[in-house]
């Protein structure tokens, strides 16, 4: 029986949702929620806008988030966290999938050159449970990805992808397709960094669910953790 998996929320969440099913992709139809009036205003791009490979069975449409979360009308599978970090077989399949991802031409054009030994900083100021609300000092020469334009401007001597606005700023530069393309360019650049410093929400585990205030952690660098990158959370 073909499974239907709803891909919603931010791009890190969507990648996690896919990774939970990488060992059975031929049996899954991914439903990419594209209603900008609901939960995914920061995901105004398609899978094909972001990745040239692999090809997935993805369909696009509008889905009522409230109805989706009502158990009596549950139609799709979905989980924002990667659930199989302790399953060696599924973990290996997820790692192989991450390695197979190829950026689209649009994403590749925005990717910065990352010199050997560069430290990457992933700074979240707008995440619902981030204790960091104001820009912080980032060492010169580091690669910076952030959801805040204020943080970008505060760190002019860092390596940044081209564009205006942070991925969480509510402006036209980040809400549509180009904003998500730039976020994925950042995402790929982090894989080229010697280590990744994550600043924002604290991190307990990939499948941590105990937070009552919002998402339990930022999922943006979950794939980097799954692949075994050196990710350090300083929150």
């Amino acid at each position: 029986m073909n499974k239907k998996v709803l891909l919603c929320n931010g791009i890190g969440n969507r990648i996690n949702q896919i990774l939970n099913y990488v060992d059975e992709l031929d049996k899954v139809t991914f439903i990419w929620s594209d209603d900008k009036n609901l939960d995914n205003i920061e995901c105004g791009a398609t899978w094909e806008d972001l990745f040239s490979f692999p090809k997935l069975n993805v369909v696009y449409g509008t889905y009522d988030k409230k109805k989706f979360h009502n158990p009596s009308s549950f139609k799709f599978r979905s989980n924002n966290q990667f659930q199989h970090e302790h399953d060696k077989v599924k973990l290996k399949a997820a790692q192989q999938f991450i390695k197979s991802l190829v950026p689209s031409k649009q994403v590749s054009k925005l990717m910065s050159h990352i010199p050997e030994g560069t430290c990457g900083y992933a700074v979240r100021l707008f995440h619902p449970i981030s204790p960091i609300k104001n820009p912080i000092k980032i060492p010169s020469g580091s690669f910076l990805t952030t959801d805040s334009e204020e943080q970008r401007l505060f760190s002019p001597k860092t390596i940044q992808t081209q564009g205006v606005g942070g991925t969480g700023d509510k402006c036209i530069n980040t809400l549509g397709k180009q904003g998500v393309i730039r976020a994925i360019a950042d995402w790929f650049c982090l894989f080229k960094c010697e280590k990744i410093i994550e600043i924002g929400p604290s991190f307990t585990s990939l499948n941590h669910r105990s937070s009552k205030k919002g998402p339990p952690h930022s999922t943006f660098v979950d794939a980097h953790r799954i692949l075994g990158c050196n990710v350090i959370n300083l929150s």
Side-chain angles (χ1 to χ4, degrees):
M1 182 179 178
N2 188 270
K3 297 178 181 178
K4 293 183 178 179
V5 177
L6 181 66
L7 304 180
C8 57
N9 301 110
I11 193 62
N13 293 312
R14 293 175 189 235
I15 291 173
N16 276 351
Q17 290 154 5
I18 293 170
L19 292 177
N20 282 322
Y21 297 93
V22 291
D23 57 340
E24 50 181 335
L25 291 179
D26 58 334
K27 300 177 182 178
V28 177
T29 297
F30 293 103
I31 315 297
W32 187 284
S33 178
D34 62 3
D35 189 338
K36 297 178 178 60
N37 294 317
L38 296 176
D39 65 337
N40 64 317
I41 192 69
E42 63 276 270
C43 269
T46 67
W47 176 260
E48 293 79 12
D49 288 328
L50 307 177
F51 304 97
S52 61
F53 185 86
K55 304 297 183 183
L56 299 180
N57 183 17
V58 181
V59 296
Y60 301 92
T62 299
Y63 299 91
D64 189 322
K65 183 179 180 182
K66 293 182 179 179
K67 185 176 181 180
F68 167 71
H69 286 291
N70 181 348
S72 64
S73 61
F74 188 84
K75 295 182 180 181
F76 308 104
R77 299 165 187 259
S78 185
N79 194 305
N80 290 355
Q81 284 81 45
F82 180 66
Q83 304 177 74
H84 307 296
E85 60 180 311
H86 301 302
D87 183 321
K88 292 183 179 180
V89 174
K90 291 182 179 293
L91 177 61
K92 184 177 181 179
Q95 292 171 335
Q96 291 175 336
F97 181 84
I98 294 168
K99 291 179 182 178
S100 76
L101 290 168
V102 178
S104 69
K105 291 182 179 180
Q106 299 174 88
V107 170
S108 295
K109 289 179 180 179
L110 293 182
M111 290 173 61
S112 303
H113 170 66
I114 307 297
E116 185 176 351
T118 298
C119 181
Y121 281 78
V123 182
R124 295 293 301 271
L125 304 185
F126 293 144
H127 191 281
I129 61 171
S130 176
I132 311 299
K133 302 300 180 184
N134 298 306
I136 61 174
K137 186 175 181 179
I138 305 297
S140 299
S142 302
F143 173 72
L144 172 66
T145 175
T146 178
D147 57 1
S148 168
E149 171 71 355
E150 188 178 5
Q151 176 67 65
R152 283 168 56 88
L153 296 175
F154 192 74
S155 310
K157 295 184 179 181
T158 58
I159 303 170
Q160 302 177 22
T161 55
Q162 302 174 27
V164 178
T167 58
D169 287 305
K170 300 305 178 184
C171 67
I172 59 173
N173 298 307
T174 61
L175 299 185
K177 182 171 73 172
Q178 291 304 315
V180 187
I181 288 172
R182 183 154 59 88
I184 287 296
D186 283 356
W187 187 83
F188 273 109
C189 286
L190 285 174
F191 283 109
K192 299 180 181 296
C193 295
E194 183 175 51
K195 64 179 177 180
I196 301 169
I197 306 297
E198 181 185 42
I199 300 175
S202 61
F203 175 80
T204 302
S205 70
L206 289 169
N207 200 26
H208 180 59
R209 298 167 175 270
S210 65
S211 173
K212 296 181 180 179
K213 297 181 180 179
H217 69 271
S218 170
T219 60
F220 191 67
V221 295
D222 276 2
H224 302 75
R225 289 189 171 97
I226 292 168
L227 196 58
C229 297
N230 183 13
V231 182
I232 303 169
N233 183 283
L234 293 185
S235 305

